[in-house]
Amino acid sequence: MKNTLRKNWKLFLLASLTLGLAPFNPPHLWGKIRWILGGNAFSGENAMQPQDYFDVFLHGSPWTLLVISLILIVFQKKK
């Protein structure tokens, strides 16, 4: 599993720059994260719906995989 994550960092980078940022102006994921951190994600008429959380997961998973992959590459044991 770790080797697969290490080897596929280029795929994760490509996915992060395409799916992770789409739509590009402004980056959709950034807007959703600001929405969650802004405090109005859970209350009021603009509360986040289940599809909004799925959207955060969908656009955020390539970034998460990229970060994990890069951490594994940096901290891999020297053989």
Side-chain angles (χ1 to χ4, degrees):
M1 181 72 161
K2 287 182 182 181
N3 287 332
T4 304
L5 286 171
R6 269 190 222 116
K7 291 178 184 176
N8 290 322
W9 71 270
K10 292 177 187 175
L11 175 64
F12 301 146
L13 178 63
L14 180 65
S16 297
L17 295 176
T18 56
L19 176 65
L21 292 176
F24 299 105
N25 192 12
H28 187 63
L29 180 62
W30 180 248
K32 292 286 184 175
I33 290 172
R34 284 189 4 212
W35 192 9
I36 291 171
L37 295 177
N40 63 348
F42 304 105
S43 61
E45 66 182 56
N46 291 331
M48 287 185 71
Q49 302 296 316
Q51 67 265 20
D52 295 318
Y53 289 106
F54 176 73
D55 199 33
V56 169
F57 171 76
L58 182 70
H59 290 281
S61 58
W63 290 103
T64 303
L65 290 171
L66 179 64
V67 168
I68 290 170
S69 178
L70 294 176
I71 288 171
L72 288 174
I73 290 170
V74 168
F75 293 110
Q76 73 181 351
K77 295 179 181 177
K78 301 291 181 187
K79 292 184 179 181

